[in-house]
Amino acid sequence: MKSSESEEPIYNTMPSEEELIKLLHTHHEKNDPRSHFYVRTHVIPEVNWLNAIGKVTLSLCISLLVSLVFFYSSRTFIPAYASMSVPLVFVASMFFIVLIRAKALLVWIIRIYQRFAPLRIRDKCRFEPSCSMYMIQAIEKYGAIKGLSLGVQRLRRCNITGGGYDYP
């Protein structure tokens, strides 16, 4: 390669230290979530504890009912093992109910985080929507497993060098 005489060496075009500091502090705008000057509007949801307690109680009652039905229906067939299998059926039915309600359970846990996490922690997110809102949107759009996976990947990307607008 032939170099022309009109090209300046690269070290002559480098900004000074003062110019670099100015670029770092003025580069980001107020509407850029990566900026320290960005003002985030936080969603602080109300947590309906009575509704949550009611759903947990209903789940426990359904699991207990399934266990008792299993106990009384299997007593004639396997009398020796029927009393030992009641706790297993109870746990299995609770697990099944949790699987069915996984989306709602995960969203409820995230909303508890949004309600009680200090704003100084929630302000550190460099993305818009925030990581917690992103995870709720991903869970509602893709389901519990894929949404949770996308949300965890997003949390791993959220740092001081990353950020911006990112939607599931």
Side-chain angles (χ1 to χ4, degrees):
M1 290 188 148
K2 194 172 182 184
S3 154
S4 69
E5 293 177 13
S6 64
E7 289 182 22
E8 292 183 23
I10 193 164
Y11 57 85
N12 287 339
T13 61
M14 294 293 290
S16 68
E17 184 177 345
E18 293 83 21
E19 291 173 329
L20 281 173
I21 291 171
K22 186 178 178 183
L23 281 172
L24 285 174
H25 289 294
T26 59
H27 175 66
H28 298 295
E29 298 175 3
K30 287 186 178 188
N31 61 355
D32 186 358
R34 296 172 291 180
S35 171
H36 294 287
F37 305 111
Y38 182 72
V39 178
R40 180 178 305 280
T41 48
H42 292 282
V43 175
I44 301 177
E46 290 296 322
V47 178
N48 190 347
W49 293 103
L50 188 61
N51 187 12
I53 291 170
K55 287 179 180 179
V56 168
T57 305
L58 180 65
S59 299
L60 288 171
C61 291
I62 290 172
S63 296
L64 185 61
L65 183 65
V66 167
S67 301
L68 290 174
V69 167
F70 178 79
F71 173 72
Y72 285 114
S73 67
S74 66
R75 221 170 52 172
T76 57
F77 301 114
I78 21 177
Y81 301 110
S83 63
M84 292 172 44
S85 62
V86 171
L88 292 175
V89 172
F90 180 76
V91 169
S93 59
M94 279 301 296
F95 182 71
F96 184 69
I97 290 171
V98 166
L99 283 180
I100 290 173
R101 302 283 303 162
K103 276 174 63 170
L105 183 65
L106 289 171
V107 169
W108 185 70
I109 290 169
I110 295 167
R111 294 219 188 272
I112 289 175
Y113 162 77
Q114 288 177 334
R115 176 75 175 115
F116 294 107
L119 292 180
R120 71 180 188 287
I121 291 174
R122 294 187 62 201
D123 274 340
K124 293 184 185 223
C125 184
R126 302 282 55 139
F127 284 101
E128 187 65 42
S130 67
C131 293
S132 58
M133 285 306 296
Y134 178 92
M135 191 173 289
I136 289 174
Q137 291 172 357
I139 288 170
E140 289 175 349
K141 185 174 182 179
Y142 297 110
I145 295 172
K146 186 175 181 183
L148 186 64
S149 172
L150 288 171
V152 168
Q153 289 173 10
R154 166 74 175 270
L155 285 171
R156 287 182 179 168
R157 288 183 292 161
C158 191
N159 58 45
I160 197 73
T161 60
Y165 290 93
D166 181 26
Y167 296 96

